[in-house]
Amino acid sequence: MSKRKVKETHMPVGECISQYGYIFQVQMILRERFCHQRLPEKPVGMESQHKHLLELLRRTAVHGESNSVLIVGPRGSGKTMLLNCVLRELLEVKDVNKNVLPVHLNGLLQTDDRIALKEITRQLNLENVVGDKVFGSFAENLAFLLEALKKGDRSSSRPVLFILDEFDLFAHHKNQTLLYNLLDVSQSAQAPVAVIGLTCRLDVLELLEKRVKSRFSHRQIHLLSSLSFIQYLDNVRSQLSLPQDFPDTNFYDEWNDGIKTLCEDQSVVDVLQRHYNSSKDFRSLHLLLMLALSRVSASKPAIKPTDLLEASRVCMVDSKANILHGLSILELCLIIAMKHLNDIYEGEPFNFQMVHNEFKKFLQRKSHSIHNFDKPVVIKAFEHLQQLELIKSMDSSTAKIQKEYQLMKLLLDHSQIMEALQKYPQCPTDVKQWAMSAFG
Amino acid sequence: MVRYFTRLRMRRIYKWGGRPYIFDRKLKSYGFEYLNMSVEGQEAVTTVTPGQYILIEGNDDEYPFVAKLLKFFGDESHKQKKALVQWFLRLSEVPQNKKLLLGRSPHPQEIFYYLGRACDNEINAESILGTVDVQHVPEDTPFPEPGTKDTLYVKLSWDTKAFNVLDPVLMQDTPASTPPKPALPLFPPCASPTATPVSRGPVRRALPTPDPTVMRRAGSVSDTRATMSAGKRSTLEAESIHSASKLSASKILSAKRRGSAADTPGVRKKLQLSIGASPGKKMTRADVLCELLDEEMESEKVISLKLSSSVSHSLQHGCSLSPMRSGCKTPNGQRRFPWKLSSISLDRLSPTALGEQDLSRATTPSRRKESAMAIRKPALGVLAEEDSEDSPMQPIALTPRSKRKSAQLVSLRIRKQLNLLDNTQELISDGDDDCFVPSKKDLQSSSDEEKTDSEEETRGRNCKTSVRTPCKTPSKKKDLQSSSDSEEETMVRKTRGRNGKASARTPCKTPSKKVTPSTPRHATPSIPSRTVPARQPGNILEEARARLHVSSVPESLPCREQEFQDIYNFVESKVMDGTGGCMYISGVPGTGKTATIHEVIRCLQHASDMDEIPTFRFIEINGMKMTDPHQAYVQILQKLTDQKVTADHAAALLEKRFSNPAPKKETTVLLVDELDLLWTRKQNVMYNLFDWPTRRHARLVVLTIANTMDLPERIMINRVASRLGLTRMSFQPYSFKQLQQIITSRLNKVKAFEEDALQLVSRKVAALSGDARRCLDICRRATEICEHSTSHPSSAGLVRMNHVMEALDEMFSSSYITAIRCASLQEQLFLRAVIAEFRRLGLEEATFQQVFVQHRALSRVEGLQPISVSEGLAVCQRLGACRLLLLEASRLDMLQRVRLNVSQDDVLYALKAVRD
């Protein structure tokens, strides 16, 4: 509120409104970009793959040639984006447009062949579909689909594009029936199909059974970005820049110049370098830029280096250290006691009793600084830590052993504990010293 | 006049008549002059002599096979009774697609002289049902009036390809003209077995083959004999008419059967007239009826006894004929009604329709029991099954109650919307006739639309019957009922013919059939067709690519000549001999197992088209293309007979089909692909598949394919492996020369590849797997690369070494190293940390916590800002998702153990290259 007041003082109202509208538009455009709602004009850094896939699918669509292909790449490397770009491009071709039947399946949704078959039948709109439901047993559906595909032939029936997202999960279905059948169709003179698998597993072929594997054409399109940092920076700039068709040229210039200077700022480059070192994929980059973008408002109509630094800090922050900040002193003391136990016993598991003893020793030495807690209270604190999953029980069956004697392990690194202690608000110095001392 | 006896109801007794003469000394077979048939418990004896036309019990009860008897023979013990016949076909037995060749509408009683050779002309004499009249009608004369009821007419011959004008020499017998000849002609031994038109066809190997001169002589003999025997038959007929009083019951029934069979009211009327005339006019109709019903009761008692004794046996009976009806034979156009069937229904109807309850009550303990029997209907066997077919309609058709009708209407409407209420609805509307419920419901299960129109029809006929019911005599009424039965029957058939055929047959076994709506039966599975036809390959590379696609069927299969020959010989010999057998074929994927068998079958099919071998059926199932091993039965049955049934029922039907003799059975060649997936714990699917061929009448050749050579030893229990036998074949992986030959033959003079390039591909693939599919795929990819590498697609030249190298690289090179090279810095660092930690521990496994300590140290060395634990975990997870690392479940957080999925050397190599 106060910011807006400040802004209103030195800006005419009309300009303010238009400014506000532009900012709104910028937010819209960039958010669509970062949230993957709009496909980019052209996939970046994967031209050859794009060409390969497009050619392949075009041949299926136009010539009726059956094919199978796997698109392999780490998470966030743009597999789905590439495929969607290719499909968009393919469907723009006039005589392809009404000739292909895309079928989208996802290994996370179609967890077994029965569901997958129903989904295929539904998407193909075969004749045993009534409304939105597919009737008939699993066996009937399979026979029906196979019969349907068998009846087709290369020249006359419409090519079907089977798109299997999370392809590796389909390989876990019983007998790999679905994969075998789809790939078998792709290798025999039946209705033309293209089987496109998307996966992030490099060893996906090893998951396939030998006869399924033999039927797969072994075309793999790898999406491994070998982007250099310069290209990465360029990409950041282009991602943040406004498109040519932005209505107001003034604002467009202003914004794009701002972005340009932003990308030349040394601190920003450092932040981006750090991100680049951590991961090259665009998804994490988009997350970072999204955070920065959300700090843009009408009063602050540009992304400043500080925004990016702040966003980076949010991205990089250690989640467990954050949890530690919220703990009570008692819980923190227990964590420190556990740390000491870990030091003494070299990472062997401990139980509550041991932690409690350690804690009591500390209290005896520095009884004045911390209030003496009853055992039930300490147990409660211990359980809270367990709920926060800062400690984890080692035994699978918890029922048999008493709570106090259950073996636990600490899920924190020493560095995390020390870091948390440094930042902990008003931490008693005794506790800090205890934590830093070598032994209890 | 047709008079043949029931099959299961009354046992027929067959006795040789006349003096036996030695027919073949070597085989010790005797010829006989005639055969006496009688029905157990009746004195009536029918004599069948060679030369007569006979009806032979077949797949279709109401539609027996017709043949001309040529000769009787048997062995010394007189136990085996065989007969040689010349077959005649009904139009319904002619394949559906060939029926059009006739070019005119067939006469309902027309049959065709069979000149094909697929059918075994040796039959079991005990399958003869009786005699029939057959007349030869010259080509240009029209058929006689349909009024001359039971005679069948021959005009044309059928040689499995076309209808020809029948040579009158073959059919020299016009019964009317030849004077009756009391003495039976004796034929010289040795002449008769082949002394017939059948000798045109290939003489079956199993039979002694006479030399051609004898055969010629025999031909002429047979002609004379034909005339003589025809005359004799007419006497026989006369005799039988005289003994009408004895035979009256069966005669009435058979006549009624005919009556019920006739489709048009006109014919029916005539038949009724004939009934009035035939029974010797000594008895009143009521008497006849009583006698008849008594008979029924007796036989039913026997049956119920049987029923209690063996249920499993009866189960088989219950499904006995269904597979054949639609399998070997095309659905019948003309419907007949076996008289036993009508008699049964009549019996059941009697309480309500005829008012003869006392009679039925006297014999059967209670009606309830009867109905219970009808539900289970096991031992009634075939005819019970027939019963169930028409029974659904009976209650409605015979008791025209308006209340019922309205109830039906309501139920119909409800069912239209909701199939689920079937059961209850039935119970309400049918009340006391609950014995019909299962079958009716079953009928309904066929499909919604079918049901509606059948019911509408029923209702329509309902009114018809009610109009007609005021007939005077009970027998007439009965006739009417049975005729309406027949109508129902035809109607039921019609509906069934349109959908699956199967459902109506299952009735009693699955009374609680699922009522969830299933896929509409009439749905034709198909992928919509495209608007623009697919483009044809434009240039050489595209052409080559199309030829190299695995799916394109090559003109020939090179490199598998030996295997081809072996399989061909195996199948051919089995088909020729009409025996069965198993063969097991193994080989790694992509070695042409299935392709070779398909090629064999194509060749055999061609041979059978050329009449070199008998016709056979080819069926293919694939273990991978079914959801459950037991679905194998369903698929086999569906491919054999086009009926859809449950797995258990299909198993029973197949069992029946393969274990029972059927005169005109062609060999079935069954290909079972991916055999190992048919494994079940009890292995009963495999057991059955291998057991059927060993049955005497199965005529089943089973070819099985799997990948592993020792599959029988590894997964099969002894009794299965033993039945599989030792006919095995193993397809070796292709050598590089063979692969090269395959590609060259596929390319077939399309010059698209450099010779060296081809050799490289084939050597590489042969060294790795010998998988022809792989080889073709690589070549295809190479053509694409070649096409893309040149700027103008038109100028794209040969596929050269470098293109092939690139394709090979793409397909064979492991992507791990590239993946490591393309990983982000922290990821690479993490991998180094993993290796460092492994070295420190001396183990190939470490927890994330341990690795992370190393990671932190390394990043300090590298001068990078250390990352937080959360980030480190994220890095670790990313590497795990690519499967560069193998991770434990992520809920273990810092304690999850980390392993490398790549060798340490590979990692170091990749990382070193990055740094350099």
Side-chain angles (χ1 to χ4, degrees):
Chain A
M1 272 314 253
S2 60
K3 269 183 186 170
R4 190 179 289 171
K5 267 178 196 165
V6 172
K7 180 200 67 189
E8 276 170 5
T9 51
H10 58 82
M11 211 178 261
V13 179
E15 199 179 324
C16 164
I17 287 169
S18 67
Q19 189 83 353
Y20 194 80
Y22 295 144
I23 288 296
F24 184 72
Q25 271 190 327
V26 168
Q27 296 256 10
M28 282 283 286
I29 291 166
L30 296 187
R31 277 195 182 134
E32 267 180 1
R33 225 179 251 172
F34 298 151
C35 296
H36 312 276
Q37 283 173 338
R38 177 172 292 175
L39 291 172
E41 291 300 310
K42 218 172 166 10
V44 185
M46 43 183 81
E47 282 72 26
S48 68
Q49 287 98 333
H50 178 257
K51 194 178 167 193
H52 185 177
L53 188 63
L54 181 63
E55 274 299 304
L56 197 79
L57 295 189
R58 200 182 54 77
R59 276 203 307 277
T60 303
V62 177
H63 294 274
E65 179 186 301
S66 293
N67 274 311
S68 48
V69 67
L70 272 179
I71 305 175
V72 186
R75 297 223 177 271
S77 58
K79 302 177 290 291
T80 312
M81 188 266 294
L82 171 69
L83 180 67
N84 287 339
C85 281
V86 168
L87 281 181
R88 181 185 61 187
E89 212 163 315
L90 195 69
L91 293 177
E92 277 165 11
V93 182
K94 207 176 127 224
D95 58 339
V96 172
N97 193 5
K98 284 187 182 144
N99 273 340
V100 289
L101 297 164
V103 175
H104 293 267
L105 300 176
N106 191 319
L108 291 169
L109 297 177
Q110 280 78 40
T111 49
D112 67 19
D113 284 345
R114 181 194 308 266
I115 305 169
L117 272 176
K118 285 200 171 179
E119 183 65 18
I120 293 174
T121 323
R122 195 184 65 72
Q123 292 193 21
L124 282 179
N125 232 331
L126 294 180
E127 276 162 46
N128 56 348
V129 178
V130 180
D132 217 19
K133 279 188 176 168
V134 181
F135 293 122
S137 66
F138 182 26
E140 275 174 1
N141 281 337
L142 180 66
F144 193 86
L145 180 69
L146 290 178
E147 189 63 25
L149 290 171
K150 202 172 181 178
K151 275 198 181 162
D153 72 347
R154 179 178 168 153
S155 52
S156 68
S157 40
R158 280 203 220 180
V160 186
L161 307 181
F162 289 101
I163 295 150
L164 309 180
D165 215 342
E166 310 290 347
F167 183 81
D168 46 322
L169 296 179
F170 285 98
H172 294 125
H173 295 179
K174 189 187 163 224
N175 287 344
Q176 304 187 346
T177 310
L178 182 76
L179 290 185
Y180 177 91
N181 285 311
L182 290 184
L183 293 174
D184 194 54
V185 170
S186 83
Q187 297 257 321
S188 50
Q190 302 180 5
V193 298
V195 182
I196 306 147
L198 305 176
T199 180
C200 62
R201 286 185 67 160
L202 294 168
D203 62 345
V204 65
L205 284 187
E206 288 159 37
L207 297 175
L208 298 179
E209 215 201 334
K210 56 184 181 302
R211 48 198 152 200
V212 182
K213 195 174 169 186
S214 167
R215 282 168 173 77
F216 171 60
S217 72
H218 279 66
R219 283 160 196 272
Q220 294 186 64
I221 298 178
H222 287 281
L223 289 182
L224 299 165
S225 72
S226 48
L227 222 56
S228 69
F229 182 61
I230 307 295
Q231 287 168 312
Y232 189 79
L233 265 183
D234 281 347
N235 200 40
V236 171
R237 186 165 41 238
S238 66
Q239 290 278 320
L240 282 174
S241 303
L242 287 176
Q244 289 278 347
D245 54 355
F246 194 75
D248 189 271
T249 45
N250 272 340
F251 188 86
Y252 169 81
D253 290 338
E254 216 171 284
W255 176 271
N256 279 4
D257 286 345
I259 294 301
K260 205 175 174 191
T261 46
L262 178 76
C263 290
E264 279 155 9
D265 188 281
Q266 190 52 46
S267 61
V268 170
V269 171
D270 283 347
V271 165
L272 289 176
Q273 176 79 52
R274 198 176 138 86
H275 267 268
Y276 173 77
N277 283 348
S278 173
S279 86
K280 289 177 184 175
D281 68 49
F282 288 128
R283 195 171 286 171
S284 60
L285 174 68
H286 285 154
L287 191 67
L288 178 79
L289 297 181
M290 190 72 178
L291 285 172
L293 179 72
S294 60
R295 298 171 73 86
V296 172
S297 64
S299 62
K300 204 166 75 63
I303 298 179
K304 295 279 181 254
T306 47
D307 297 334
L308 213 58
L309 287 180
E310 185 58 28
S312 167
R313 203 187 51 76
V314 171
C315 278
M316 296 281 183
V317 78
D318 191 75
S319 52
K320 280 198 184 143
N322 272 349
I323 296 178
L324 285 178
H325 292 168
L327 292 183
S328 67
I329 290 291
L330 172 60
E331 284 157 349
L332 200 63
C333 288
L334 289 181
I335 294 277
I336 292 167
M338 288 170 200
K339 171 188 170 269
H340 286 306
L341 282 174
N342 260 352
D343 287 341
I344 296 165
Y345 298 108
E346 290 179 327
E348 288 298 305
F350 47 83
N351 60 28
F352 169 74
Q353 212 55 49
M354 291 161 81
V355 176
H356 191 57
N357 285 342
E358 199 73 15
F359 180 55
K360 272 196 288 190
K361 273 196 270 173
F362 168 67
L363 282 185
Q364 276 161 13
R365 276 185 282 129
K366 316 264 180 182
S367 56
H368 58 277
S369 61
I370 288 186
H371 183 259
N372 199 354
F373 295 102
D374 290 337
K375 195 176 175 185
V377 178
V378 182
I379 288 186
K380 200 76 193 163
F382 192 78
E383 279 173 2
H384 188 228
L385 288 180
Q386 197 178 348
Q387 278 168 3
L388 288 173
E389 292 202 319
L390 293 173
I391 53 174
K392 191 173 170 58
S393 166
M394 296 304 288
D395 314 297
S396 52
S397 56
T398 51
K400 284 174 193 164
I401 310 164
Q402 267 189 308
K403 268 184 210 162
E404 291 92 329
Y405 300 104
Q406 264 179 28
L407 288 177
M408 294 287 181
K409 268 198 163 185
L410 184 62
L411 294 183
L412 285 168
D413 197 52
H414 285 191
S415 57
Q416 282 172 302
I417 299 169
M418 301 314 288
E419 202 180 314
L421 273 176
Q422 295 301 326
K423 291 178 186 169
Y424 193 86
Q426 289 138 29
C427 182
T429 40
D430 283 346
V431 175
K432 265 189 193 173
Q433 276 172 5
W434 180 40
M436 279 190 262
S437 65
F439 290 103
Chain B
M1 169 166 291
V2 183
R3 72 192 101 77
Y4 54 88
F5 305 106
T6 51
R7 211 135 60 95
L8 294 166
R9 303 230 91 195
M10 278 165 263
R11 258 183 50 215
R12 284 160 293 166
I13 298 168
Y14 296 86
K15 276 206 181 92
W16 290 127
R19 198 165 49 78
Y21 53 87
I22 301 273
F23 156 63
D24 189 327
R25 271 177 206 289
K26 222 176 187 177
L27 295 173
K28 294 227 170 127
S29 57
Y30 290 81
F32 293 92
E33 289 162 16
Y34 55 92
L35 181 75
N36 289 328
M37 312 166 43
S38 60
V39 178
E40 200 174 46
Q42 286 186 29
E43 300 99 279
V45 175
T46 315
T47 308
V48 187
T49 44
Q52 271 186 313
Y53 294 93
I54 49 170
L55 293 174
I56 294 164
E57 166 179 319
N59 309 327
D60 207 344
D61 239 11
E62 56 268 44
Y63 222 22
F65 297 132
V66 184
K68 180 174 170 182
L69 188 59
L70 301 176
K71 175 176 171 53
F72 282 121
F73 64 94
D75 61 355
E76 252 178 324
S77 62
H78 294 211
K79 270 182 192 148
Q80 255 192 332
K81 298 187 178 62
K82 295 271 177 84
L84 278 184
V85 295
Q86 163 60 46
W87 290 107
F88 287 89
L89 289 183
R90 294 168 195 271
L91 186 70
S92 55
E93 294 165 46
V94 175
Q96 196 72 45
N97 52 349
K98 305 261 172 97
K99 278 185 186 167
L100 290 175
L101 294 174
L102 189 57
R104 59 176 165 84
S105 60
H107 188 269
Q109 278 161 326
E110 186 172 4
I111 54 175
F112 304 97
Y113 191 90
Y114 183 67
L115 282 177
R117 42 192 105 174
C119 294
D120 192 352
N121 56 3
E122 179 189 319
I123 61 157
N124 189 346
E126 294 185 359
S127 62
I128 297 176
L129 292 172
T131 55
V132 68
D133 237 353
V134 175
Q135 264 184 32
H136 177 226
V137 183
E139 161 67 1
D140 39 2
T141 53
F143 286 105
E145 281 294 294
T148 51
K149 46 190 179 182
D150 289 328
T151 318
L152 299 169
Y153 301 102
V154 190
K155 207 171 197 179
L156 302 173
S157 66
W158 167 250
D159 62 353
T160 69
K161 300 231 160 25
F163 293 99
N164 300 318
V165 177
L166 180 59
D167 183 3
V169 177
L170 297 173
M171 283 291 303
Q172 262 184 16
D173 56 52
T174 37
S177 60
T178 324
K181 200 165 178 289
L184 294 168
L186 271 179
F187 303 118
C190 203
S192 33
T194 48
T196 54
V198 191
S199 60
R200 284 180 176 192
V203 180
R204 300 231 330 115
R205 283 176 183 181
L207 294 177
T209 322
D211 57 333
T213 52
V214 177
M215 278 169 67
R216 228 173 289 127
R217 188 159 50 89
S220 60
V221 170
S222 79
D223 288 342
T224 57
R225 190 188 46 140
T227 49
M228 288 190 286
S229 61
K232 182 211 68 231
R233 198 190 13 61
S234 70
T235 25
L236 250 167
E237 209 163 335
E239 262 173 36
S240 63
I241 290 171
H242 284 305
S243 62
S245 59
K246 284 177 198 163
L247 273 170
S248 58
S250 63
K251 240 184 219 173
I252 288 178
L253 283 169
S254 64
K256 186 177 354 305
R257 199 197 110 269
R258 308 270 12 200
S260 62
D263 287 329
T264 57
V267 173
R268 198 181 306 140
K269 215 189 276 172
K270 265 174 206 148
L271 286 166
Q272 279 166 11
L273 281 175
S274 82
I275 292 165
S278 57
K281 291 110 191 169
K282 290 285 186 281
M283 287 191 252
T284 63
R285 280 184 190 125
D287 283 353
V288 171
L289 205 90
C290 289
E291 196 180 308
L292 194 144
L293 285 168
D294 277 342
E295 249 174 63
E296 288 301 318
M297 294 310 156
E298 254 172 48
S299 54
E300 240 167 47
K301 261 189 244 163
V302 175
I303 283 157
S304 57
L305 272 175
K306 261 198 245 164
L307 179 149
S308 57
S309 67
S310 67
V311 178
S312 65
H313 173 74
S314 59
L315 251 168
Q316 287 184 343
H317 272 292
C319 48
S320 63
L321 290 182
S322 37
M324 294 138 174
R325 171 165 306 163
S326 40
C328 307
K329 333 206 75 212
T330 49
N332 299 334
Q334 184 191 22
R335 300 291 160 198
R336 284 208 206 164
F337 215 48
W339 63 266
K340 55 219 167 180
L341 161 59
S342 64
S343 65
I344 267 226
S345 55
L346 179 149
D347 176 29
R348 200 191 294 145
L349 302 174
S350 53
T352 46
L354 298 173
E356 285 172 352
Q357 280 142 325
D358 48 341
L359 217 155
S360 64
R361 288 256 166 80
T363 39
T364 48
S366 75
R367 217 177 148 231
R368 188 101 335 247
K369 196 181 158 194
E370 208 181 298
S371 61
M373 194 174 78
I375 288 185
R376 276 177 291 153
K377 86 159 170 202
L380 282 178
V382 178
L383 55 123
E385 198 183 313
E386 297 291 29
D387 252 354
S388 71
E389 256 167 37
D390 60 340
S391 56
M393 299 309 185
Q394 274 174 7
I396 310 159
L398 294 175
T399 49
R401 282 182 248 157
S402 59
K403 195 175 85 188
R404 176 72 54 86
K405 249 190 257 175
S406 61
Q408 263 186 347
L409 262 170
V410 172
S411 74
L412 175 71
R413 249 178 243 140
I414 292 172
R415 239 176 271 121
K416 260 183 180 170
Q417 296 161 341
L418 198 66
N419 258 359
L420 289 165
L421 284 176
D422 248 345
N423 208 355
T424 47
Q425 196 65 40
E426 228 52 80
L427 286 172
I428 294 161
S429 66
D430 277 350
D432 52 343
D433 301 316
D434 56 351
C435 57
F436 303 126
V437 170
S439 44
K440 180 167 188 176
K441 200 173 63 188
D442 192 82
L443 192 87
Q444 280 154 358
S445 77
S446 65
S447 100
D448 239 332
E449 285 167 47
E450 241 75 66
K451 182 169 36 194
T452 41
D453 75 30
S454 75
E455 288 209 354
E456 267 158 20
E457 224 175 300
T458 317
R459 252 181 297 133
R461 196 157 17 72
N462 217 338
C463 311
K464 233 194 290 171
T465 19
S466 62
V467 170
R468 282 211 208 123
T469 6
C471 284
K472 299 298 173 293
T473 61
S475 73
K476 245 189 188 168
K477 206 171 180 182
K478 217 163 51 184
D479 283 341
L480 202 83
Q481 280 147 9
S482 60
S483 68
S484 68
D485 281 355
S486 84
E487 261 182 29
E488 271 162 15
E489 163 105 352
T490 42
M491 200 232 358
V492 171
R493 288 289 174 72
K494 254 184 261 158
T495 55
R496 220 178 322 124
R498 256 186 288 148
N499 32 21
K501 288 187 168 69
S503 55
R505 296 236 154 208
T506 41
C508 299
K509 282 171 81 190
T510 54
S512 59
K513 235 189 145 187
K514 52 164 189 185
V515 280
T516 48
S518 64
T519 53
R521 296 275 162 85
H522 49 78
T524 45
S526 67
I527 298 288
S529 56
R530 51 193 297 160
T531 48
V532 183
R535 209 178 290 164
Q536 291 306 308
N539 56 28
I540 286 183
L541 282 176
E542 279 180 6
E543 172 76 28
R545 200 156 50 229
R547 282 169 180 276
L548 286 173
H549 199 281
V550 184
S551 69
S552 69
V553 180
E555 292 88 14
S556 66
L557 273 183
C559 314
R560 287 290 180 226
E561 287 83 8
Q562 187 56 48
E563 286 85 355
F564 174 86
Q565 204 53 52
D566 288 352
I567 300 173
Y568 187 91
N569 291 345
F570 178 81
V571 180
E572 189 196 26
S573 66
K574 300 290 178 200
V575 171
M576 296 278 258
D577 297 349
T579 53
C582 297
M583 186 176 208
Y584 175 72
I585 297 164
S586 64
V588 292
T591 47
K593 302 177 293 295
T594 313
T596 307
I597 289 185
H598 280 150
E599 183 72 14
V600 167
I601 297 298
R602 261 196 298 279
C603 287
L604 284 171
Q605 226 117 38
H606 182 70
S608 89
D609 284 349
M610 304 298 287
D611 273 346
E612 281 155 15
I613 56 165
T615 54
F616 65 96
R617 270 182 95 97
F618 176 62
I619 297 173
E620 186 180 4
I621 58 167
N622 188 325
M624 271 291 204
K625 292 186 178 172
M626 54 190 73
T627 52
D628 165 73
H630 295 280
Q631 286 292 321
Y633 298 129
V634 180
Q635 294 200 358
I636 295 173
L637 191 71
Q638 196 184 357
K639 283 170 181 166
L640 270 176
T641 66
D642 229 23
Q643 42 185 330
K644 266 188 187 169
V645 293
T646 60
D648 289 344
H649 191 199
L653 288 178
L654 286 172
E655 176 76 25
K656 186 88 184 161
R657 182 188 173 93
F658 288 124
S659 48
N660 282 5
K664 292 185 191 177
K665 199 185 222 174
E666 43 186 17
T667 306
T668 310
V669 179
L670 174 65
L671 169 60
V672 184
D673 218 340
E674 316 291 3
L675 176 72
D676 50 334
L677 286 168
L678 295 185
W679 188 88
T680 51
R681 214 161 47 80
K682 282 177 149 181
Q683 308 200 352
N684 43 4
V685 178
M686 282 192 191
Y687 178 87
N688 278 335
L689 281 180
F690 300 142
D691 193 40
W692 288 332
T694 62
R695 306 276 170 83
R696 194 156 158 264
H697 302 284
R699 293 192 160 202
L700 177 68
V701 183
V702 178
L703 305 170
T704 54
I705 298 181
N707 289 133
T708 41
M709 193 153 45
D710 58 345
L711 186 83
E713 285 75 28
R714 268 195 313 122
I715 70 165
M716 291 184 198
I717 48 180
N718 285 338
R719 62 168 184 271
V720 178
S722 151
R723 277 171 175 77
L724 173 56
L726 292 170
T727 321
R728 304 215 185 145
M729 176 175 289
S730 165
F731 277 60
Q732 297 304 318
Y734 288 112
S735 70
F736 85 90
K737 274 189 182 152
Q738 289 173 322
L739 288 174
Q740 205 171 343
Q741 199 184 334
I742 289 170
I743 303 172
T744 330
S745 82
R746 280 213 178 215
L747 284 175
N748 192 20
K749 291 181 197 132
V750 173
K751 188 72 186 147
F753 277 82
E754 256 182 6
E755 205 55 37
D756 287 349
L758 277 189
Q759 193 167 348
L760 178 70
V761 175
S762 32
R763 274 186 192 274
K764 185 90 183 174
V765 173
L768 277 163
S769 60
D771 187 336
R773 288 197 191 107
R774 180 67 15 80
C775 197
L776 294 172
D777 281 333
I778 292 171
C779 290
R780 222 150 52 86
R781 178 70 188 129
T783 60
E784 284 166 26
I785 293 172
C786 174
E787 199 171 45
H788 293 166
S789 62
T790 50
S791 45
H792 320 289
S794 54
S795 70
L798 286 178
V799 179
R800 290 178 204 290
M801 260 325 218
N802 52 344
H803 303 133
V804 170
M805 289 289 272
E806 203 182 324
L808 281 172
D809 254 14
E810 233 174 62
M811 290 197 174
F812 285 115
S813 71
S814 151
S815 49
Y816 287 115
I817 291 180
T818 4
I820 293 173
R821 281 178 191 167
C822 293
S824 70
L825 197 59
Q826 294 289 357
E827 285 162 0
Q828 290 174 349
L829 211 59
F830 194 84
L831 285 173
R832 277 170 64 196
V834 169
I835 290 180
E837 185 63 21
F838 285 176
R839 293 225 170 122
R840 190 183 71 88
L841 291 171
L843 288 170
E844 291 281 286
E845 194 178 88
T847 63
F848 170 78
Q849 202 166 11
Q850 291 167 321
V851 176
F852 189 68
V853 173
Q854 290 281 349
H855 182 92
R856 189 163 279 187
L858 275 172
S859 51
R860 260 185 231 117
V861 171
E862 295 285 322
L864 292 168
Q865 210 178 339
I867 55 172
S868 66
V869 179
S870 295
E871 270 180 278
L873 264 174
V875 165
C876 181
Q877 291 296 341
R878 276 202 293 273
L879 290 173
C882 298
R883 284 298 189 279
L884 284 168
L885 293 180
L886 297 175
L887 301 177
E888 270 187 315
S890 58
R891 65 187 158 77
L892 288 170
D893 204 58
M894 307 210 10
L895 301 175
Q896 61 183 315
R897 276 171 297 185
V898 176
R899 251 194 275 174
L900 272 180
N901 197 25
V902 211
S903 77
Q904 295 194 11
D905 294 337
D906 282 358
V907 178
L908 290 176
Y909 168 75
L911 293 178
K912 195 175 154 211
V914 170
R915 250 187 268 168
D916 293 344

